[in-house]
Amino acid sequence: MAKPPPTGVAVPLEPLVTRVLAPNASAYTYTGTQTHIVGTDDLAVVDPGPDDPAHLDALRAAIAGRPVCAILITHHHRDHSPASRALARATGAPIVGPAPLVRGESSAGAQLDAAFDRDYAPDRVLADGETVSGAGWTLGAIATPGHTSQHLAYALAESGALFSGDHVMGWATSVISPPDGDMGEYLASLERLLGRDDRVYYPGHGEAVERPQRLVRGMLGHRKQREGQIVRLLTAAPHSVAALIERMYVGLDPRLAGAAARSVLAHLIDLERRGVVTQEEGAWRII
Ligand SMILES: [Zn+2]
């Protein structure tokens, strides 16, 4: 990355879309979470971001007193949805997005890890294909589970833009963290996007993706390659997740080791479901 873009500045991306970068850069959020504002007369805010006073001030300045029809959420991770409450109070707009976690409730909240915004409370839950609209814009929800079980992307019908959240990002592939994250669903959601003809993706993190089909095809290829690597290593000998990481990720940034372990586990669970591998006391092997 040459020079980090400024936070708190409203950057016009196209006539209907403005982006505001939140000041939460990190190893997991890249330059920070990007909030998108859609519309001209009345607005939708996509992923208001972390509950940070400076970011909320920047959003209020970008909104500039115009009515907000909806605060849309792609997924309720802590870097995407917490500002929804303060923004709803400030604008009177409803919080609209995916259902709060379902997968975790049956397993003692195990998947409600620290990444989740536990206070997320949508006023309206959107299902796949449902829309939200305002003056001159329509946003359609596209179920894209994988990064989280309830992840939604939003397609802007008038311009061919897709707000891809953390499903497809402009800087790295998604972290798939089981049990809420699911590799099989993630790959199916990538295939689903391949079947669409969106012109550009505006992700939660990283630059706009101008040739999205190419990137999505590359991401699918990357995961198939990782899966192939795992199968080859396990064919040679049983391995623990830690041993797999050591061989698969040479020169890995230590801050990302946890994410790599989650993604390898996600592959293993997917392979286990497909009857390719099994595990005993932490050692995974080919069946
Ligand atoms: Zn994120």
Side-chain angles (χ1 to χ4, degrees):
M1 183 173 52
K3 180 170 171 275
T7 61
V9 179
V11 179
L13 300 178
E14 56 177 87
L16 281 173
V17 182
T18 300
R19 179 176 71 197
V20 181
L21 176 64
N24 63 334
S26 76
Y28 283 94
T29 59
Y30 191 50
T31 57
T33 303
Q34 299 177 129
T35 300
H36 293 93
I37 297 173
V38 178
T40 50
D41 300 336
D42 56 13
L43 311 173
V45 176
V46 181
D47 281 350
D51 193 359
D52 176 288
H55 186 54
L56 280 158
D57 283 348
L59 292 182
R60 273 194 292 264
I63 290 165
R66 291 172 289 179
V68 177
C69 308
I71 300 164
L72 289 167
I73 306 296
T74 62
H75 65 298
H76 58 296
H77 272 167
R78 291 167 59 94
D79 58 326
H80 290 258
S81 57
S84 60
R85 271 90 68 186
L87 195 61
R89 280 194 299 274
T91 62
I95 300 167
V96 180
L101 266 190
V102 286
R103 222 177 257 152
E105 275 145 19
S106 53
S107 60
Q111 84 281 38
L112 261 176
D113 59 35
F116 281 94
D117 167 16
R118 288 161 189 259
D119 299 321
Y120 169 67
D123 299 296
R124 177 185 168 198
V125 168
L126 278 187
D128 181 56
E130 291 189 316
T131 60
V132 173
S133 56
W137 56 266
T138 308
L139 288 162
I142 299 168
T144 40
H147 175 63
T148 65
S149 57
Q150 307 293 310
H151 191 286
L152 295 176
Y154 296 101
L156 177 56
E158 286 76 8
S159 86
L162 182 87
F163 299 95
S164 55
D166 283 5
H167 175 52
V168 174
M169 299 189 287
W171 71 292
T173 54
S174 290
V175 174
I176 309 299
S177 182
D180 191 60
D182 184 301
M183 188 61 71
E185 287 184 346
Y186 170 71
L187 295 174
S189 293
L190 287 178
E191 296 277 4
R192 181 169 191 200
L193 292 193
L194 260 193
R196 298 175 47 89
D197 61 351
D198 303 293
R199 177 180 55 83
V200 62
Y201 291 176
Y202 296 130
H205 310 271
E207 274 309 303
V209 180
E210 300 284 352
R211 298 176 70 183
Q213 304 295 317
R214 211 171 92 139
L215 181 68
V216 170
R217 210 171 285 121
M219 285 176 169
L220 276 165
H222 169 73
R223 297 295 179 166
K224 296 282 172 215
Q225 213 180 337
R226 286 284 185 221
E227 184 186 291
Q229 240 181 326
I230 290 171
V231 169
R232 274 195 305 281
L233 286 165
L234 296 187
T235 301
H239 281 72
S240 66
V241 169
L244 286 170
I245 302 286
E246 215 167 284
R247 284 161 168 252
M248 292 171 64
Y249 295 84
V250 177
L252 176 70
D253 179 342
R255 295 175 303 171
L256 297 176
R262 302 311 293 171
S263 284
V264 167
L265 179 62
H267 273 297
L268 290 165
I269 290 169
D270 184 40
L271 286 165
E272 185 178 41
R273 257 190 230 141
R274 285 151 51 198
V276 180
V277 305
T278 186
Q279 71 147 327
E280 236 167 273
E281 287 164 19
W284 291 83
R285 61 176 176 80
I286 296 286
I287 291 178

